[in-house]
Amino acid sequence: MAGTGSIGEAVLSAQSIVKGYGSQPVLQGVSLTIHEGERIGLIGRNGCGKSTLMRILAGRDMADEGLVTRRQGLRTALLTQDCQLAPDATVGRVLEEAQSEIRALMREYEEATQRLAHHGLSDSEQRTLESRHAFLQHELDCTGAWDLDVDIKRIAGALDLPPRDRTVGTLSGGERRRVDLAATILARPDVLMLDEPTNHIDTKSVEWIESFLGAYRGSCVLVTHDRYFLEQIVTRIVEIEFRRIYSFPGNYERFLEYKSQIEAVTGKTEEARQRMLCRELAWVRRGAKARTGKQKARLQRFDDLVDEGPPEKHRSFAFELPQPPRLGKRILDIEELGVAFDKNYLFKNFSMILQHGMRVGVIGPNGCGKTTLLRALMGLEPPKKGRVIIGDTTQFLYVGQMRDDIDPNQTIIDYVANGANYWTVNERRIYIPSYLEHFLFDRDSIRMPMHNLSGGERNRMALAKNLLQGGNVLVLDEPTNDLDLPTLRILEEIILDFDGCAFIVSHDRYFLNRLCTHLIVFEGNDQLVFMTGNYGDYLLYKEKQAAEASNASAQSKPTPRSAVRNVLRLTYKEQKELTGIEPAILDTEAEIERLETVIHAPGFYEQEYTRFQKILDQLAVAKGRREMLYARWQNLEARKSEK
């Protein structure tokens, strides 16, 4: 859990910021100060102004009113939700240019070092140059900038970036997002600003980002709906609500406590206002005459109470699932299941029995086969071996992550209702425009085209449409994409109250922890791990496995007392391995490049599904091998340099 710690020096401050678009105000009198070493989680509902405030803080946008002040020489970097990278730039050029400021400092430091090594400077010049040299060394120490090329390789491997000679214009949306994130991190700014950094990132990479931010020497501002980040990383949560800003010290748990207390106080204050209003109203109705100063003052107090009005409230977002059909004794039996394309297995020898009330999370890296597993469980993907037995009363309610059925020119009401005016849900007739109001859409706005909606709003619409189809086994593929925190909490409650079973693919660790009774984990080598518990239990399981392996290794290879100090030095075999790792990495990257050239050729996806999926699987395997090679290389290099 992140602690609040001591407050450092103020490095960036915004005072009384006002910003609107047209006649629509977004921020009204907002003030925020960022201190050295802080990790701020910036939260709020979609459209409340989080991204706008980040752009103003980073100097990318101007406020209508107010002032932004920065410490002299302060460097900032901002990851926006929309990629701003030049389409003709290569990945390598983007990463190197991200380090341009640090590389300039490095060149100046090297030049100063060379000048100091030569005689001929006056005493005054010597002192000035020594002072500048010391400052540059301190700056480079603080940014950890002494091995920039290794930094690029490490982060490229951790975020699974495409080859360095690929141009941005040829990348998928997810690949562009990861390159943009890597470039922002590589800039090593004093204040790192990340707007939804975990979008399009799998769980393993998210954990790496979490570890990176936990050790980051500068300050961080994160706009995120990832509650694990808010729980583990941030030292302060800042909420934008009703165009104003509220600051809460601590992490997400402490924020919920503060928020609960504030809402309780606000509720009591409003109750007191209503009681006083009733008393004053009764007095006015009795025919009070404003003849005296005292009576005039009391009438003015009544007017003030009316003008004050109740506290602002968010419109409630809610929907319900149809009552699921009763499940039979057999729901879903999986026996030695294996799915492969040609001879390449995505997974094999997987068995489980689905029982009433089970909510099974499915996790693994991008491209490992999670969606294929879901399709196999529903009988939509033929297995290579084994079988799936579906119960007679089992009805799947599938919500996929693709939104191919959305016509951007279709109106919201037409997309959701498909020409109908009413639905029958749980034996009640529901007027569809009224139903959509629960999804925070006015009667007027439901006639606007779908292309006007944000990613989160589109996802809400897809949930509104698909979840009402009915079923007793939910199959949800990445249901949390782009949803804000209030919507996530409501979705969680709906799933928890659902009287059936569920399979849930998600990278949202908090979501998995709250919902899952069991997990299916893709761990590589064609194997799936099935276990009881949630994501936290899985982490404990992995820690126990690692400890047992370490103990077994220590017992089988006792270390002589005289060799304890040199235990990290490389053996002859490891030295040879280190020598061969770089060529192996180059070979693997060449293979990845070859496969990606095939994938991006015109007509690649027009061929038979099994053919192009085989190439995609080979690419995933090659990327996994590259990641392992980089990890092993870093480990051996670290041990080699250990004194």
Side-chain angles (χ1 to χ4, degrees):
M1 181 182 294
T4 55
S6 59
I7 297 178
E9 173 191 353
V11 296
L12 179 59
S13 181
Q15 293 95 30
S16 304
I17 298 298
V18 175
K19 182 69 177 179
Y21 296 99
S23 61
Q24 182 67 34
V26 178
L27 303 173
Q28 189 73 42
V30 165
S31 296
L32 176 65
T33 298
I34 302 169
H35 297 87
E36 201 170 54
E38 269 198 308
R39 277 112 177 89
I40 295 176
L42 187 58
I43 66 172
R45 295 187 178 231
N46 291 334
C48 71
K50 302 185 296 294
S51 298
T52 299
L53 179 58
M54 290 268 275
R55 289 195 300 271
I56 292 172
L57 290 171
R60 301 276 190 92
D61 200 354
M62 297 295 294
D64 298 334
E65 298 178 25
L67 178 67
V68 176
T69 56
R70 297 175 176 84
R71 186 179 67 186
Q72 186 175 3
L74 186 77
R75 296 186 305 110
T76 64
L78 170 65
L79 173 74
T80 62
Q81 291 193 40
D82 299 322
C83 179
Q84 304 294 321
L85 301 177
D88 60 341
T90 64
V91 172
R93 193 180 100 195
V94 168
L95 300 182
E96 289 173 3
E97 288 182 351
Q99 298 176 323
S100 58
E101 291 187 30
I102 300 176
R103 290 181 184 272
L105 290 176
M106 181 71 78
R107 286 193 297 270
E108 186 182 355
Y109 172 81
E110 291 170 349
E111 291 169 2
T113 302
Q114 291 173 1
R115 289 185 63 195
L116 287 172
H118 293 84
H119 301 289
L121 296 174
S122 68
D123 290 344
S124 175
E125 289 174 330
Q126 182 82 13
R127 286 192 299 271
T128 300
L129 191 56
E130 286 176 349
S131 175
R132 180 62 178 171
H133 186 269
F135 169 78
L136 291 169
Q137 183 170 348
H138 174 73
E139 287 293 299
L140 293 169
D141 283 341
C142 288
T143 55
W146 294 108
D147 204 341
L148 298 178
D149 291 330
V150 170
D151 213 21
I152 287 179
K153 289 183 178 180
R154 180 173 62 88
I155 291 175
L159 295 179
D160 192 23
L161 300 189
R164 296 181 62 173
D165 60 352
R166 287 275 303 280
T167 57
V168 171
T170 66
L171 304 180
S172 67
E175 288 173 326
R176 284 196 299 271
R177 180 69 175 174
R178 294 197 296 274
V179 171
D180 204 359
L181 173 60
T184 308
I185 289 173
L186 284 166
R188 297 282 185 165
D190 302 307
V191 181
L192 180 63
M193 303 181 191
L194 304 177
D195 196 347
E196 296 291 358
T198 60
N199 278 1
H200 304 290
I201 307 291
D202 62 28
T203 304
K204 188 172 182 180
S205 295
V206 167
E207 289 173 346
W208 179 86
I209 298 169
E210 182 182 302
S211 175
F212 172 84
L213 293 177
Y216 193 68
R217 298 184 183 185
S219 306
C220 301
V221 183
L222 311 170
V223 172
T224 182
H225 303 311
D226 189 316
R227 287 160 291 181
Y228 243 111
F229 265 50
L230 297 173
E231 184 73 15
Q232 303 291 339
I233 298 300
V234 306
T235 57
R236 177 159 60 118
I237 287 187
V238 172
E239 182 182 30
I240 300 178
E241 189 173 42
F242 303 121
R243 301 169 299 284
R244 298 191 178 275
I245 207 164
Y246 304 90
S247 180
F248 304 87
N251 59 10
Y252 185 66
E253 181 182 356
R254 291 292 294 139
F255 160 73
L256 293 178
E257 292 174 2
Y258 285 125
K259 190 74 173 175
S260 175
Q261 293 167 6
I262 289 172
E263 290 180 353
V265 171
T266 301
K268 291 179 180 178
T269 302
E270 174 59 14
E271 288 176 6
R273 189 186 74 88
Q274 290 289 347
R275 287 195 299 270
M276 186 177 294
L277 191 60
C278 287
R279 288 197 299 269
E280 296 303 305
L281 181 61
W283 177 75
V284 170
R285 284 174 173 171
R286 285 199 298 269
K289 298 179 180 179
R291 295 179 178 179
T292 67
K294 187 174 182 180
Q295 288 174 324
K296 288 181 179 179
R298 189 167 181 179
L299 283 171
Q300 182 60 50
R301 185 167 67 242
F302 173 76
D303 291 340
D304 291 343
L305 285 170
V306 173
D307 292 342
E308 180 183 332
E312 288 187 276
K313 288 185 177 180
H314 292 292
R315 292 169 57 196
S316 60
F317 165 62
F319 66 94
E320 61 180 315
L321 291 177
Q323 186 66 29
R326 187 183 64 83
L327 283 165
K329 187 174 181 180
R330 167 177 278 170
I331 302 172
L332 188 69
D333 291 359
I334 305 164
E335 299 177 354
E336 297 295 322
L337 184 65
V339 174
F341 298 108
D342 293 335
K343 296 182 180 179
N344 297 315
Y345 274 94
L346 289 177
F347 55 86
K348 59 184 177 182
N349 303 324
F350 176 63
S351 300
M352 67 166 284
I353 297 175
L354 186 67
Q355 297 178 322
H356 192 278
M358 288 174 60
R359 296 185 296 272
V360 185
V362 183
I363 62 175
N366 289 334
C368 67
K370 299 185 294 294
T371 299
T372 301
L373 172 63
L374 296 183
R375 290 177 54 81
L377 299 184
M378 293 185 291
L380 303 176
E381 189 74 43
K384 183 77 171 180
K385 61 175 296 188
R387 61 176 182 163
V388 177
I389 306 173
I390 300 173
D392 294 336
T393 61
T394 299
Q395 296 181 22
F396 295 105
L397 199 173
Y398 178 56
V399 180
Q401 57 178 303
M402 302 303 292
R403 300 287 177 255
D404 296 335
D405 64 329
I406 292 180
D407 177 355
N409 297 316
Q410 190 177 25
T411 65
I412 293 172
I413 185 69
D414 287 341
Y415 168 72
V416 175
N418 198 25
N421 289 319
Y422 291 90
W423 275 322
T424 300
V425 178
N426 297 331
E427 300 181 354
R428 295 200 326 272
R429 204 162 179 243
I430 295 178
Y431 184 49
I432 296 175
S434 298
Y435 171 79
L436 289 176
E437 285 185 334
H438 291 296
F439 283 77
L440 311 185
F441 288 95
D442 297 321
R443 295 281 179 102
D444 294 336
S445 66
I446 63 175
R447 304 292 176 186
M448 68 181 183
M450 294 289 289
H451 64 72
N452 286 344
L453 302 183
S454 68
E457 290 169 329
R458 287 192 182 197
N459 208 18
R460 281 212 308 268
M461 285 297 95
L463 288 171
K465 179 178 182 178
N466 293 321
L467 289 180
L468 285 177
Q469 294 173 1
N472 47 29
V473 177
L474 294 176
V475 183
L476 308 177
D477 196 351
E478 295 288 359
T480 64
N481 282 346
D482 301 312
L483 297 181
D484 58 21
L485 289 173
T487 306
L488 282 174
R489 289 194 288 265
I490 291 169
L491 180 60
E492 287 166 355
E493 293 301 327
I494 289 169
I495 296 173
L496 286 170
D497 291 339
F498 182 65
D499 187 22
C501 301
F503 288 97
I504 306 165
V505 172
S506 180
H507 298 312
D508 188 324
R509 298 160 295 172
Y510 195 101
F511 191 77
L512 294 171
N513 263 354
R514 187 159 186 225
L515 294 180
C516 293
T517 61
H518 297 76
L519 281 184
I520 298 173
V521 185
F522 284 75
E523 288 201 328
N525 300 321
D526 310 328
Q527 298 303 309
L528 301 181
V529 172
F530 177 64
M531 59 172 288
T532 301
N534 58 20
Y535 187 76
D537 296 316
Y538 171 67
L539 293 181
L540 292 175
Y541 160 75
K542 295 298 290 183
E543 289 175 7
K544 183 179 179 182
Q545 265 194 333
E548 289 174 350
S550 177
N551 290 337
S553 177
Q555 291 172 6
S556 63
K557 296 182 179 180
T559 304
R561 180 181 295 271
S562 60
V564 169
R565 294 182 62 185
N566 295 322
V567 70
L568 292 177
R569 299 296 295 273
L570 299 184
T571 65
Y572 174 73
K573 183 177 179 181
E574 288 172 329
Q575 290 174 356
K576 290 190 66 176
E577 180 186 0
L578 179 58
T579 303
I581 280 184
E582 190 164 354
I585 290 174
L586 293 174
D587 290 344
T588 303
E589 288 184 335
E591 181 183 356
I592 291 172
E593 180 181 358
R594 179 185 64 80
L595 292 170
E596 289 184 328
T597 300
V598 173
I599 289 170
H600 290 90
F604 173 75
Y605 288 100
E606 296 175 5
Q607 60 184 318
E608 187 181 347
Y609 174 75
T610 56
R611 291 181 178 274
F612 73 70
Q613 188 60 49
K614 178 181 177 180
I615 303 296
L616 295 175
D617 294 340
Q618 290 173 352
L619 179 61
V621 170
K623 286 184 174 181
R625 183 166 66 251
R626 179 181 63 183
E627 183 177 335
M628 288 187 291
L629 285 169
Y630 270 121
R632 181 61 173 163
W633 175 53
Q634 292 172 32
N635 176 268
L636 292 176
E637 282 286 356
R639 290 171 55 191
K640 177 183 175 183
S641 60
E642 189 75 22
K643 301 297 184 185

